[in-house]
Amino acid sequence: MRWTTRIAAAALVAVLQACATPPAHTPPPPPAMANEARPPVTILISIDGFRSDYLQRGVTPNLARLAAQGITGPMRPSFPSKTFPNHWTLVTGLVPDHHGIVGNRMEDAAHPGQTFTTASDAPYWWNAAPPIWVEAERAGIRTGTVFWPGANVAWGSTVTKADHGDYAGGARPRDWLQYNQAINGTQRVDTVLDWLRRPAAADRPRFVTLYFDRVDVVGHDYGPNSPEVAQAAAQVDAQIGALVDGLAALHQPANLVLVSDHGMSETSDTRVIPLDLPKDSYHLIEAGPFAALTPLPGKEALVEGTLLGRHPHMECWRKAEIPARFRFGSNPRIPAILCLAEPRWMIVEKLPDAPFTRGEHGYDNRSADMAALFIAAGPAFRHGTVPAFDNVDVAPLLRDLLGLPPGRGLDGDDAPFRSLLQPR
Ligand SMILES: [Zn+2]
């Protein structure tokens, strides 16, 4: 036996012995993942309607652990504190007045007869600002979205046949799903993990969005102080725990950025403000925490005379006179008059016919009730607390995490986070 053969035989014995007695406490990595250093994935997670202080209710141990490892702080939504405007702000870095999704319901004189609702995916509503997944794909970074308002829109496309849903061109995340509320939180997490389990690194997304709606739905139905909200928060927390465990099992480093779009305020039949106007004097876009409306021709003086100024629990402005701090009022999609209720109050066309306790959002974006969740954890982050900041700063942070150059003309920047990022 030559010496090289002897050494090989000894090595083989050593390997066999090692295989026969694996250490009980360190299971080997899955074969496909062995010895593979994965680059970090950035996962932007939205828990719709998760008010900042839900974190202190003692029902979200996984979020608490992530907050303790990374950075956290109260985040101000943009005005109006509604779902679609704020989700689009989080991925564009622009306030709603600038990105064009100025409400969950809107009209546009450039597209007469069309009304935007949360089911609208016609590109012209969305095309004013590219979302971060489009910017990432342009830079060669693969992206995937398990839901996000606007993620099923072919961004930048043009309508080829009016109102028939035919569009040409446009960009979408490489992996995306048509929004379907019936796909539960566990299935959403499993979808993300399945994408990251793909054997070839090039097939795995490097930027992912993940969206949970349940806390918002329950917050609307039962109010923010209900046991049902605590239960829904605990449920989504467990799903995020499963995501963290799944990532660890894949040896997949991840920078997690957890946000919500707005908080939630408790409303009641005892706190309503009737819109005291004749029915034939105005066109209402939406009412509730705020009312957005246009006087009908010839009724301008009546509507303005009745509404403009301060009322008990409500204040109304012409769009050009909305206080500057709201950063809202220049977009053509904003109607002529905005009335804003105090948190916990509702502007209504018709008085309620039964008692209720529910939840709403859409109020002053600086009110405590509207404060949103923010936690970021992973290899890119130090540990620390970030003072209250505006949600226009999230997209610049995501650009840093993805290695994209700073965005041009954005309404936010990464200043709140700079001292809390690990050196690259
Ligand atoms: Zn929402």
Side-chain angles (χ1 to χ4, degrees):
M1 187 182 278
R2 291 188 308 170
W3 66 271
T4 44
T5 314
R6 254 195 320 266
I7 290 169
L12 180 64
V13 168
V15 167
L16 290 173
Q17 282 171 341
C19 291
T21 53
H25 56 284
T26 51
M33 312 303 165
N35 303 322
E36 184 186 359
R38 288 172 165 239
V41 59
T42 298
I43 307 181
L44 174 64
I45 303 170
S46 167
I47 310 176
D48 198 317
F50 192 107
R51 199 167 74 186
S52 174
D53 68 295
Y54 292 176
L55 207 48
Q56 274 83 52
R57 294 189 176 180
V59 295
T60 53
N62 290 294
L63 294 183
R65 197 172 307 121
L66 290 168
Q69 291 164 358
I71 65 175
T72 189
M75 181 168 73
R76 284 183 294 261
S78 297
F79 188 83
S81 47
K82 289 281 191 180
T83 298
F84 274 51
N86 277 284
H87 277 93
W88 207 236
T89 290
L90 287 161
V91 295
T92 61
L94 294 174
V95 293
D97 202 29
H98 296 158
H99 66 51
I101 306 297
V102 299
N104 280 353
R105 186 180 167 82
M106 53 184 183
E107 296 176 358
D108 188 337
H111 300 279
Q114 303 295 309
T115 300
F116 176 91
T117 68
T118 55
S120 297
D121 58 6
Y124 53 79
W125 295 110
W126 305 85
N127 280 350
I132 186 114
W133 55 79
V134 167
E135 301 258 51
E137 292 279 358
R138 281 175 181 164
I141 298 167
R142 187 173 178 124
T143 67
T145 51
V146 185
F147 310 144
W148 196 269
N152 54 333
V153 176
W155 188 86
S157 61
T158 51
V159 179
T160 55
K161 266 190 226 164
D163 310 332
H164 288 82
D166 291 340
Y167 311 118
R172 287 192 169 100
R174 202 87 58 94
D175 294 294
W176 65 281
L177 306 175
Q178 180 65 43
Y179 184 59
N180 182 347
Q181 211 168 17
I183 297 175
N184 68 30
T186 299
Q187 293 170 308
R188 297 177 196 192
V189 166
D190 287 346
T191 301
V192 172
L193 292 172
D194 279 346
W195 288 345
L196 295 169
R197 201 173 281 124
R198 289 171 176 161
D203 294 338
R204 299 175 207 141
R206 296 271 312 282
F207 173 74
V208 171
T209 71
L210 175 57
Y211 170 78
F212 298 97
D213 55 293
R214 186 88 192 125
V215 171
D216 180 71
V217 170
V218 172
H220 280 294
D221 287 349
Y222 300 97
N225 303 315
S226 62
E228 286 85 352
V229 160
Q231 198 181 8
Q235 193 179 39
V236 74
D237 181 79
Q239 289 157 353
I240 288 166
L243 173 69
V244 171
D245 290 348
L247 292 167
L250 289 172
H251 303 279
Q252 173 63 65
N255 289 309
L256 304 182
V257 179
L258 290 114
V259 296
S260 65
D261 48 349
H262 51 72
M264 192 64 74
S265 190
E266 188 175 89
T267 55
S268 155
D269 56 298
T270 62
R271 292 188 295 275
V272 293
I273 309 157
L275 205 53
D276 191 17
L277 287 170
K279 273 276 186 205
D280 64 354
S281 65
Y282 65 99
H283 172 61
L284 184 72
I285 308 297
E286 64 176 312
F290 64 84
L293 57 93
T294 306
L296 291 177
K299 306 287 186 182
E300 293 85 353
L302 169 70
V303 171
E304 291 195 348
T306 306
L307 290 182
L308 293 182
R310 190 173 282 281
H311 305 258
H313 313 295
M314 176 177 87
E315 189 163 5
C316 301
W317 306 275
R318 289 189 194 98
K319 68 182 282 189
E321 293 160 5
I322 296 169
R325 70 182 182 82
F326 290 105
R327 304 174 86 176
F328 191 73
S330 73
N331 196 287
R333 293 173 182 171
I334 299 170
I337 307 279
L338 178 78
C339 294
L340 181 62
E342 283 174 13
R344 309 177 77 229
W345 287 78
M346 294 270 286
I347 304 167
V348 297
E349 280 195 294
K350 184 174 150 298
L351 288 170
D353 46 20
F356 68 83
T357 299
R358 289 170 50 87
E360 263 303 347
H361 53 87
Y363 299 100
D364 186 336
N365 52 320
R366 294 193 185 183
S367 71
D369 277 0
M370 294 300 101
L373 172 74
F374 177 83
I375 299 169
F381 297 98
R382 300 175 195 266
H383 170 58
T385 301
V386 56
F389 66 96
D390 296 312
N391 69 351
V392 287
D393 298 331
V394 170
L397 169 65
L398 296 172
R399 297 184 75 97
D400 290 347
L401 296 175
L402 294 174
L404 295 173
R408 265 177 285 163
L410 301 187
D411 290 318
D413 62 40
D414 63 359
F417 316 106
R418 269 179 218 143
S419 65
L420 295 162
L421 290 169
Q422 299 283 4
R424 290 179 79 89

